[in-house]
Amino acid sequence: MASYNFDSTIADGTFDDGSGHGHLLRAVTRHGGQVAMEPHAAGQALTFPPRCSGDDCPRLVLQAEATPDLNPGNRPIRYGAGLRLATAPAGTKGPDGQNVLQKGYASEGGQYKLQVDGVTGKPSCVMTDRAGGTTYVARSRSSIADDAWHAVECRRAGPTLTIVVDEQVRASTAIPETLSVDSAQPFSLGGKGVGVNNDQYHGALDDVWITIG
């Protein structure tokens, strides 16, 4: 339903959706945050602002307009990305998480997201029902904060939420089969917005994708 490799050469702060579904990403910035690129494989990857403390830190997120196409309801969904995070704790925000990929919030229609947790840099998959309530987390037991590239994937199939790192299942958690995500919020990469405590991601990002159904 969406795919981004960040190899566009158009310097206008937008990135095309390679899936053909038209979910164009636009950069949203504050306090000097800006789009920056780095070489990766045969193309390029997106680099987010480095770790920082304070209310005036540079902020950058990429957002696609809100659309029901990216709401899975209670159907199976898989989503993931390539991540490079500096060696802990340099690439982490502290005890809170960094939001890599997300659609929605823990209320107002529910959410699904991929994040990196805490000073150790362990990735996790997160889902919350559209009615709110319990947030379900499948968290890897291993850190990816080693300045190397890792492929991280989240899988929701029926009553199970699973995180896969470099093609290896790292953790699973049970979720209600009825859990449904139907959010009016935009799809976002790198944080939940550009306000204070936006859970800014501080690493590099490439090859983002979402498959529903």
Side-chain angles (χ1 to χ4, degrees), residues 159-185:
T160 306
L161 177 63
T162 300
I163 184 165
V164 180
V165 180
D166 297 329
E167 301 184 351
Q168 299 293 318
V169 172
R170 297 300 184 185
S172 295
T173 191
I175 63 174
E177 288 194 71
T178 56
L179 187 149
S180 180
V181 177
D182 184 15
S183 173
Q185 300 296 329

Side-chain angles (χ1 to χ4, degrees), residues 17-105:
D17 174 7
S19 74
H21 288 92
H23 302 301
L24 181 73
L25 288 173
R26 297 184 182 278
V28 183
T29 65
R30 184 169 293 178
H31 298 310
Q34 58 184 322
V35 172
M37 312 304 297
E38 66 175 60
H40 180 223
Q44 59 185 7
L46 182 67
T47 305
F48 287 85
R51 186 184 180 201
C52 174
S53 60
D55 293 344
D56 58 351
C57 290
R59 297 176 197 141
L60 166 67
V61 301
L62 301 182
Q63 291 187 333
E65 292 185 4
T67 169
D69 291 354
L70 297 180
N71 288 331
N74 63 0
R75 292 175 291 169
I77 180 172
R78 297 171 59 195
Y79 54 95
L83 308 179
R84 182 187 63 76
L85 197 64
T87 303
T92 57
K93 181 178 178 288
D96 300 323
Q98 301 175 58
N99 291 356
V100 178
L101 174 164
Q102 73 183 93
K103 178 72 163 68
Y105 303 119

Side-chain angles (χ1 to χ4, degrees), residues 106-126:
S107 58
E108 303 176 12
Q111 69 174 341
Y112 60 87
K113 67 177 177 176
L114 166 62
Q115 65 184 28
V116 180
D117 297 325
V119 295
T120 57
K122 296 177 180 178
S124 64
C125 303
V126 179

